[in-house]
Structure formats: structure tokens, C-alpha cells
Amino acid sequence: MSDIETIPVNRIDGTPATLGDHHGQVRLVVNVASKCGLTPQYEALERVYQQYRDRGFEVLGFPANNFRGQEPGTDAEIAEFCSTTYGVQFPLFSKISVQGEDIDPLYAYLTIPFLAVLGPGNAVVATRLPAAVCGILTIGCLYVLVRR
């Protein structure tokens, strides 16, 4: 397992976990919020999760309140909202900070700078990541951990 797989996190119900619990899977790590313009992403993320989970793909949702207070709820409120409003079944984790002085160790690891080569239309055509984060592709607030 890589270093990132040992960083402690908590599931939305408070149960301790690590990304290593999903070792061998392609993992899409995404920070989410239930009161922002992108909230409907829960529906799309759930569709992708349902379509590809049997092929080794995981969506891992990490609620964050860093952007204009768009995730003010408790973990229980977030879980209830995601379940009843969007039927979310993909793994959700406890609310964390994804930027700033109180950034969670997971996101501190995920946001290590990298160099991307952009092609036509700003498409990433080549990515060179530091050895410490080899296997992680960053796309905006989405992080894809690729199976080794």
C-alpha cells in the first residue's frame, strides 16, 4: 500500500477508515457539498458509481465546508440529505477541511503540486507527478487514484 492509503479518515458514520480499505480499486476522491451549485453532482457521481463499481471503481465522497459555507450540516445531516435526496450509496466520509491551515492530511497529500502538459482545448495530454503522488490524477476538485 502507498502512503496515501494509510492516512486515517472517518466514514460518515464515524467509523475509522483509510483509503487502503479500497486498495486495488480505482478511486475517485471528490470533495462535495450539499448547498452549492454543483450539488446535483451527487446524482451523476452515484450513476457513475453504480455503472462501474462492479469493475473495481469507487467514488469516495468527502464533504467540505471550505467554500462559502456550502456544507454547514453535521455528518448525520449530510448522510440523510445524500441518501434521501440523491439515493447516494457510494462511500461518504466525515466532513473535512480541504484547504487552508486546517487542511485534512488526506487533502494535503492530494494537493501536492504537479506539472500538466495541456493540449488542444486545455485537455491534459501528459501529466508528470512527483514520485510521492505517483498514481494520482488531479482534475479540479476530483482526484483519481489509479490501480497499480
Side-chain angles (χ1 to χ4, degrees):
M1 278 196 284
S2 64
D3 291 344
I4 194 170
E5 293 182 317
T6 63
I7 297 170
V9 294
N10 289 317
R11 296 188 189 284
I12 198 102
D13 67 2
T15 306
T18 67
L19 295 188
D21 297 340
H22 304 275
H23 183 77
Q25 305 292 314
V26 174
R27 293 157 283 184
L28 174 64
V29 177
V30 59
N31 65 289
V32 293
S34 56
K35 299 196 183 314
C36 76
L38 298 176
T39 298
Q41 74 178 336
Y42 279 117
E43 186 176 354
L45 290 169
E46 182 61 26
R47 271 197 318 270
V48 169
Y49 174 67
Q50 292 299 327
Q51 184 172 353
Y52 295 106
R53 72 181 181 173
D54 292 338
R55 295 202 248 166
F57 181 81
E58 292 280 343
V59 174
L60 307 175
F62 287 84
N65 196 39
N66 295 96
F67 308 103
R68 297 187 208 164
Q70 295 175 340
E71 188 54 89
T74 66
D75 285 349
E77 291 167 337
I78 295 165
E80 177 69 18
F81 172 82
C82 291
S83 175
T84 59
T85 307
Y86 292 102
V88 168
Q89 294 179 27
F90 61 81
L92 286 171
F93 294 82
S94 290
K95 185 164 55 173
I96 62 172
S97 177
V98 297
Q99 67 177 14
E101 290 183 18
D102 63 341
I103 190 170
D104 187 86
L106 173 63
Y107 268 73
Y109 193 101
L110 288 172
T111 57
I112 294 171
F114 69 93
L115 171 66
V117 177
L118 300 178
N122 290 332
V124 177
V125 295
T127 305
R128 179 174 166 77
L129 301 170
V133 291
C134 186
I136 300 171
L137 173 61
T138 306
I139 310 166
C141 64
L142 304 176
Y143 304 89
V144 181
L145 281 66
V146 181
R147 186 182 342 200
R148 294 181 184 245

